[in-house]
Amino acid sequence: MPTIPTLTLNDGFSFPEIGFGTYKLTGEEGVDAIVSATEAGYRLLDTAVNYKNEREVGEAVRRSSVDRSELLIATKIPGRDHGFDEALASIDGSRERLGIETIDLHLIHWPNPSVDKYVDTWRALIEAQSRGWVRSIGVSNFTSEMLDRLDDETGVTPAVNQVELHPYFPQGELRAYHRAHGIRTESWSPLATRGELLGEQPIVDAAAAHGVTPTQVVLRWHVQLGSTPIPKSATPSRQRENADIFGFRLTDDEVAVISALERGRMWGGDPNTHEEM
Ligand SMILES: NC(=O)C1=CN([C@@H]2O[C@H](COP(=O)(O)OP(=O)(O)OC[C@H]3O[C@@H](n4cnc5c(N)ncnc54)[C@H](OP(=O)(O)O)[C@@H]3O)[C@@H](O)[C@H]2O)C=CC1
Ligand SMILES: O=C(O)C(=O)[C@@H](O)[C@H](O)C(=O)CO
């Protein structure tokens, strides 16, 4: 089982270089898949109210042979719970469904700018942190302008921003902003499974050069860009394959040609317009 390296977030807490996505992992099969991921080495489990599987994640944590203290459970506030009181109730509901006192990382799932309540929602996360309900706080799908606004209006910078990121959409400008402000980037849909990424020549070539799989090349590319990918797999052998990316290093040229596959978002999830309730 590979040991996944960690880094330190801007709030002083430790965070792994790769995590595990749980969207669509539900029911008993979902619990089994999440238990298997923890036993394959993953420590960060990414869920959301909207995935309707917080109970499964909590159950998997209780069933896993890995101690709870080693695991980081991350969940997200949905758009319909934006607002100070609404967000606090949402966070408390997640604690109840997960069956844990303190959520390790809590994010605002989408900014929903037309509703214009993400700053109040952020204040609720700050309050929840002071109550000990959550440990690290962050956001998802925020632009640099939205991040600036959180900072200007509350003085508290998110620890992470989880965004769509893969070789078709490397998010160069946003990553540079994160670096400058001490925000950790997390990559959702890191394998861009809505596209044909794994058959792209630069990825196939790098896989052959290093004796690894195309999936491992893509996940390693995320790590070398300085982002934490959270691949989802229901398949134990793929979970192990995806975590086993710390025994090789891509060259700078390989990283550059993979990044040159850029073509934009893979679906219409533009944070300025997408509203996720
Ligand atoms: N904040 C946000 O707005 C969003 C967050 N997310 C988060 O990001 C996570 C990951 O994103 P997701 O969209 O699931 O996409 P991923 O990029 O993780 O791709 C998942 C798909 O890839 C397949 N796969 C995984 N590993 C391999 C492998 N080694 N070889 C071949 N196929 C593989 C899986 O199949 P199989 O399971 O059958 O193995 C599944 O179909 C989500 O689960 C969620 O936690 C996702 C979207 C938006
Ligand atoms: O999975 C998530 O976190 C989402 O935000 C979903 O909306 C997801 O991206 C999706 O399937 C949208 O069609």
Side-chain angles (χ1 to χ4, degrees):
M1 181 173 88
T3 298
I4 293 173
T6 57
L7 48 90
T8 304
L9 297 176
N10 64 12
D11 58 12
F13 290 109
S14 138
F15 198 65
E17 291 199 36
I18 187 170
F20 183 72
T22 72
Y23 183 43
K24 298 196 176 150
L25 296 176
T26 56
E28 266 305 304
E29 283 181 11
V31 174
D32 287 346
I34 299 163
V35 170
S36 139
T38 61
E39 292 171 354
Y42 299 90
R43 294 295 175 260
L44 167 65
L45 304 175
D46 182 79
T47 180
V49 172
N50 276 350
Y51 301 170
K52 297 190 171 63
N53 68 354
E54 289 178 313
R55 288 190 194 284
E56 283 90 332
V57 171
E59 183 57 27
V61 168
R62 285 184 291 279
R63 280 194 210 167
S64 173
S65 60
V66 178
D67 195 73
R68 161 73 185 104
S69 62
E70 289 186 39
L71 297 169
L72 275 82
I73 301 165
T75 190
K76 315 188 190 82
I77 300 170
R80 63 184 174 285
D81 292 343
H82 279 207
F84 187 81
D85 293 337
E86 296 87 340
L88 279 173
S90 182
I91 296 162
D92 206 21
S94 290
R95 292 166 75 218
E96 188 271 320
R97 284 184 296 279
L98 287 160
I100 59 177
E101 280 291 307
T102 305
I103 292 167
D104 302 280
L105 172 65
H106 215 112
L107 311 178
I108 302 176
H109 201 150
W110 284 87
N112 288 15
S114 77
V115 179
D116 196 20
K117 288 190 184 166
Y118 65 78
V119 178
D120 282 344
T121 309
W122 183 241
R123 290 189 208 284
L125 277 173
I126 297 167
E127 170 64 22
Q129 194 177 41
S130 76
R131 292 183 189 183
W133 291 5
V134 304
R135 200 183 69 181
S136 294
I137 57 176
V139 295
S140 176
N141 299 301
F142 273 51
T143 64
S144 55
E145 293 77 13
M146 293 165 182
L147 292 166
D148 276 342
R149 194 169 157 210
L150 294 186
D151 211 13
D152 290 348
E153 296 192 28
T154 71
V156 180
T157 306
V160 311
N161 187 17
Q162 181 187 114
V163 294
E164 179 179 353
L165 202 163
H166 41 69
Y168 289 141
F169 193 45
Q171 294 265 27
E173 278 182 31
L174 188 57
R175 281 189 293 105
Y177 176 98
H178 289 168
R179 257 197 314 280
H181 291 80
I183 299 169
R184 178 65 181 176
T185 310
E186 254 191 290
S187 310
W188 63 252
S189 290
L191 303 173
T193 34
R194 289 172 174 89
E196 299 304 318
L197 183 69
L198 300 177
E200 295 282 3
Q201 205 56 51
I203 292 171
V204 172
D205 289 347
H210 295 277
V212 297
T213 66
T215 309
Q216 290 173 316
V217 166
V218 172
L219 295 170
R220 181 72 211 177
W221 171 88
H222 286 272
V223 169
Q224 288 185 220
L225 287 192
S227 183
T228 292
I230 47 170
K232 169 261 173 188
S233 177
T235 319
S237 59
R238 287 178 173 177
Q239 295 172 354
R240 290 192 294 274
E241 172 189 337
N242 295 351
D244 188 12
I245 54 168
F246 299 98
F248 71 103
R249 186 171 182 83
L250 300 171
T251 65
D252 291 348
D253 281 352
E254 286 167 337
V255 170
V257 288
I258 294 170
S259 301
L261 293 168
E262 177 158 16
R263 53 156 101 143
R265 297 181 194 282
M266 293 303 291
W267 66 288
D270 181 343
N272 285 303
T273 51
H274 180 73
E275 305 284 325
E276 178 108 345
M277 298 313 288

